[in-house]
Amino acid sequence: MPELPEVEVVRAGLERWVTSARVVSVEVLHPRPVRRDPRGPAGFALALTGRRLGVARRRGKYLWVPLDDLDGRPTHDALMAHLGMSGQMLVQPADAPDERHLRVRMRLEGAAEGRELRFVDQRMFGGLALSDGGYDVPPEIAHIALDPLDGAFDDDAWVRRVRRRTAGVKRLLLDQTLISGVGNIYADESLWRARLHGDRPGERLTAKQCRDLLGHVREVMSEALAQGGTSFDALYVDVNGSSGYFARSLSAYGREGLPCLRCGTPLRRIVFTNRSSFFCPRCQPAPRARR
């Protein structure tokens, strides 16, 4: 599933290409991607048509685009998007061939004259919805924590909350109510850099270890952003369809059996909540069981 860097790459692309564009028409080609909108496909299309798109924003793995009226006045609403496992927001020329898994088409005029904003989703776990009153922050995602790259993120509060938890630190990194945008890949990379095993309970971490880990989370995500995110296949792309290449720089994730880049010990893979988790058994020793 796309994590913060991949979603931020898409958000930045939307900001560049569709800000101030007007939605001329909306075509919902499959109902599932708009299943969370109570208006239904026809109501979703009608409510979005004629709106002007503002500057795309993001919280964690969610995107939203504030909606203005034709005179540029805020309508208090927003177009919200979640990419799920395979969702793509593509800005394409109107005459470009339809993608195989094209689900929603928005024809634009103005800043993006002659272009279309397309939602493409092979597996259809992602989706679009109009958020009533969601201009500043959609109420549907208000419970999600700020991400570590947000200037308002409270480091001290995060450290305190982590150190009160008995859960393993990887599980805490994935808890979107504590810190948003971190997924399986970047959690493994950050823990490898911090030399921490994912099962180490939060309550058994020092404040310094928590702060160091948070610093590594920011480093990993900033480096991934600079490289366009992590793409293992053609699913994770920017608005122009280009893949990121941070996968070439991964130190832990996906490297089972390969030597640790620090100590040379073969990396291991374990199953973690139905996903794979990768670590170095020497640099990241498993926590000792309590007596």
Side-chain angles (χ1 to χ4, degrees):
M1 183 175 290
E3 302 178 29
L4 184 155
E6 291 77 47
V7 179
E8 174 59 20
V9 166
V10 174
R11 187 213 63 79
L14 293 175
E15 178 179 1
R16 176 183 179 186
W17 291 104
V18 305
T19 298
S20 298
R22 175 175 171 266
V23 180
V24 178
S25 65
V26 179
E27 185 179 5
V28 179
L29 302 171
H30 196 290
R32 182 168 172 77
V34 296
R35 63 193 178 278
R36 295 185 180 90
D37 195 302
R39 301 167 184 81
F44 168 84
L46 181 63
L48 185 56
T49 300
R51 301 288 190 96
R52 195 176 299 279
L53 304 177
V55 177
R57 303 175 68 181
R58 177 190 53 75
R59 176 168 290 190
K61 304 172 187 179
Y62 283 87
L63 290 167
W64 74 93
V65 181
L67 299 173
D68 299 333
D69 64 18
L70 294 183
D71 296 322
R73 294 173 299 207
T75 63
H76 308 295
D77 302 328
L79 172 64
M80 189 172 64
H82 191 281
L83 301 181
M85 295 183 69
S86 59
Q88 301 172 349
M89 299 285 285
L90 302 178
V91 179
Q92 298 279 45
D95 58 358
D98 287 357
E99 293 76 12
R100 180 180 178 185
H101 302 291
L102 176 61
R103 308 304 184 190
V104 180
R105 182 202 319 274
M106 301 170 227
R107 293 184 175 87
L108 307 176
E109 70 174 14
E113 191 73 46
R115 294 183 181 271
E116 296 178 348
L117 178 57
R118 301 178 179 182
F119 184 73
V120 178
D121 195 355
Q122 176 179 334
R123 299 174 184 172
M124 291 199 290
F125 291 121
L128 303 174
L130 283 179
S131 174
D132 298 327
Y135 194 93
D136 293 318
V137 178
E140 297 88 344
I141 62 172
H143 65 286
I144 296 176
L146 298 179
D147 67 65
L149 300 185
D150 192 308
F153 187 87
D154 190 333
D155 292 20
D156 293 337
W158 184 80
V159 170
R160 289 194 299 269
R161 295 180 71 185
V162 166
R163 297 189 68 210
R164 288 199 296 260
R165 302 295 183 95
T166 59
V169 63
K170 179 169 181 177
R171 191 176 298 274
L172 298 177
L173 284 176
L174 300 180
D175 185 341
Q176 302 297 296
T177 65
L178 291 177
I179 184 171
S180 68
V182 183
N184 198 40
I185 295 174
Y186 297 116
D188 278 0
E189 290 299 299
S190 302
L191 290 167
W192 181 85
R193 294 190 184 197
R195 301 181 182 233
L196 292 174
H197 192 285
D199 289 338
R200 178 77 66 88
E203 64 178 4
R204 291 166 65 179
L205 295 175
T206 66
K208 182 179 185 304
Q209 286 175 317
C210 289
R211 291 185 184 281
D212 288 347
L213 174 59
L214 188 57
H216 290 304
V217 169
R218 289 184 170 124
E219 289 172 1
V220 168
M221 289 192 164
S222 296
E223 291 172 17
L225 268 173
Q227 298 181 45
T230 301
S231 300
F232 291 109
D233 51 34
L235 296 181
Y236 302 165
V237 297
D238 64 16
V239 297
N240 302 121
S242 299
S243 298
Y245 51 92
F246 187 67
R248 306 172 190 172
S249 302
L250 295 174
S251 299
Y253 188 86
R255 301 188 71 248
E256 180 185 13
L258 295 176
C260 172
L261 298 178
R262 258 191 315 252
C263 71
T265 303
L267 297 183
R268 291 184 186 173
R269 180 184 71 87
I270 57 175
V271 176
F272 175 82
T273 62
N274 297 319
R275 289 173 284 187
S276 293
S277 188
F278 301 86
F279 69 101
C280 173
R282 182 176 180 183
C283 296
Q284 301 166 265
R288 295 178 180 178
R290 291 185 181 274
R291 293 183 178 181

